[in-house]
Amino acid sequence: MKKAFSIVAMALIFTVLFLGCEKKDEGAGAAKRTFVTIGTGGVTGVYYPTGGAISKMVNQKFDSYGIKATVESTAGSVFNVNAILAGDLEFGIVQSDRQYQAFKGMADWKDVGAQDKLRAVFSIHPESVTMLAADDSGIQNFEDIKGKIINIGAPGSGQRGNAIDIMEVYGIDWEKDIKAEGLKPAEAAKMLQDGRIDAYFYTVGHPNGSFKEATSGSRKAHFVAITETDSLLKLFPFYAASFIPVKEYPNASNDGDVQTFGVKATLCTSSDVPDDVVYAITKEVFENLDDFKKLHPAFAVLTAESMLDGLSAPIHDGAMKYFKEAGLK
Ligand code: GLU
């Protein structure tokens, strides 16, 4: 019995040792393999296909870099910053305004303080703070949102803070003056069509699937102009004037482009992510910019120079190495 036990024990020890070695070998053999995840946004937004475009560029060169990038759909900017800093994501797409606030320890990061490990990689497409209202909601001007059911965005999204900022400028208290909902953008389009919300905010590049869906149903809808941009920029200088290209949504009830304000989508990472990984991603996107731009219509305006704008956290050393080599810095 004793003998049988020790044979079993020996077998177990060997199995453990063997498995341990196997694991180590796999680790050593896979030293050149790096798996990275890019946090994006809702599947009907532009971050999700943007993450797909970036991962496509880098995965094409798997044989040279050994990097396998995958994309995760998330709640958006604020979630992405926090997940990058917690080490749950290596990269994330983040609105330029949230990048600024996180690095300085403002707004959502007021209590936790400055996020010094946050690093900028490059900026991507412009995003407009967009409000779409149902025609039958009684919302014509922005001020008309008082008393209405408005989706300001789920916690963790970028638009939630933008909605609150602009309401402050208009003297609207989001906790008292409107019935605020916190839905994901993919749900918001359907809820508007179902008559369960009057309007929704979404800070997003154009064109995008959410507004295509929300303007194509039987309940007619229109974009609402946000005109108090001068006062907004005085209070929050990290925003810029912008507009919604209505031609992208032929079923919207607007006649022409709609005034609003906006930010830029930016790729962020942490100082803990190795330089060679960030270098490879930066290089592949910049060296294949013409191919990259074909992957989404919101990228049409991109130039290598413009992709260094809107970065307020320090540029990651790996990205900086590429920018110096390319003469961009
Ligand atoms: N700007 C949005 C956010 O940060 C996401 C937009 C998108 O997914 O394209 O939450």
Side-chain angles (χ1 to χ4, degrees):
M1 181 66 189
K2 226 179 178 181
K3 203 170 170 201
F5 177 77
S6 56
I7 288 172
V8 172
M10 287 285 273
L12 265 175
I13 290 168
F14 272 117
T15 313
V16 168
L17 281 177
F18 179 73
L19 282 179
C21 288
E22 271 251 310
K23 205 148 189 242
K24 240 186 229 149
D25 275 345
E26 193 184 72
K32 262 186 66 66
R33 284 189 191 190
T34 310
F35 293 89
V36 298
T37 306
I38 307 172
T40 59
V43 290
T44 55
V46 181
Y47 285 9
Y48 191 68
T50 300
I54 296 170
S55 59
K56 184 177 171 194
M57 301 297 8
V58 69
N59 290 343
Q60 273 168 352
K61 289 285 183 69
F62 180 76
D63 290 347
S64 332
Y65 299 122
I67 299 174
K68 177 89 183 76
T70 48
V71 169
E72 196 175 298
S73 170
T74 74
S77 290
V78 175
F79 176 94
N80 293 345
V81 167
N82 294 335
I84 289 168
L85 295 164
D88 297 334
L89 290 173
E90 286 71 32
F91 294 91
I93 308 177
V94 175
Q95 289 177 201
S96 48
D97 54 321
R98 303 295 133 186
Q99 183 193 131
Y100 176 91
Q101 293 170 329
F103 189 71
K104 299 221 179 243
M106 295 160 63
D108 283 282
W109 297 273
K110 207 168 157 193
D111 296 336
V112 287
Q115 303 297 298
D116 338 297
K117 283 193 165 186
L118 188 65
R119 292 291 177 273
V121 184
F122 50 78
S123 67
I124 324 166
H125 57 280
E127 301 187 86
S128 299
V129 179
T130 310
M131 170 178 264
L132 185 82
D135 288 2
D136 61 17
S137 66
I139 304 172
Q140 266 316 315
N141 299 318
F142 190 83
E143 298 85 332
D144 302 333
I145 65 172
K146 283 187 195 154
K148 307 285 184 204
I149 308 170
I150 312 288
N151 179 42
I152 63 168
S157 73
Q159 52 270 3
R160 197 175 167 92
N162 303 140
I164 293 170
D165 288 350
I166 189 63
M167 282 189 269
E168 185 184 331
V169 171
Y170 277 87
I172 297 170
D173 182 338
W174 72 275
E175 285 172 302
K176 288 195 199 124
D177 300 336
I178 62 164
K179 296 187 187 87
E181 291 285 351
L183 306 165
K184 291 181 184 162
E187 294 163 356
K190 196 174 177 322
M191 294 281 270
L192 186 100
Q193 279 304 321
D194 289 351
R196 294 167 65 189
I197 56 173
D198 293 308
Y200 71 99
F201 280 99
Y202 194 11
T203 302
V204 68
H206 291 279
N208 70 78
S210 174
F211 289 125
K212 286 222 187 253
E213 184 187 338
T215 53
S216 304
S218 55
R219 193 179 187 202
K220 293 284 163 221
H222 60 278
F223 296 101
V224 179
I226 298 176
T227 50
E228 287 299 313
T229 41
D230 287 347
S231 326
L232 175 87
L233 298 191
K234 272 189 205 123
L235 215 55
F236 306 106
F238 42 75
Y239 289 127
S242 176
F243 70 93
I244 297 145
V246 166
K247 68 171 190 323
E248 302 287 358
Y249 307 97
N251 299 317
S253 325
N254 303 83
D255 292 333
D257 289 346
V258 175
Q259 185 185 344
T260 185
F261 66 102
V263 293
K264 267 190 142 195
T266 69
L267 185 69
C268 289
T269 188
S270 150
S271 55
D272 289 342
V273 173
D275 290 1
D276 57 342
V277 174
V278 181
Y279 174 83
I281 289 187
T282 311
K283 182 169 167 139
E284 286 316 308
V285 171
F286 276 72
E287 306 244 300
N288 299 292
L289 196 53
D290 288 337
D291 292 336
F292 181 79
K293 284 169 67 169
K294 289 185 194 129
L295 298 177
H296 197 284
F299 303 159
V301 294
L302 300 186
T303 62
E305 291 75 19
S306 73
M307 290 169 77
L308 272 74
D309 294 341
L311 308 177
S312 37
I315 294 176
H316 190 285
D317 289 346
M320 190 56 102
K321 180 176 170 218
Y322 174 74
F323 296 149
K324 288 206 166 127
E325 271 174 24
L328 290 162
K329 272 277 176 191

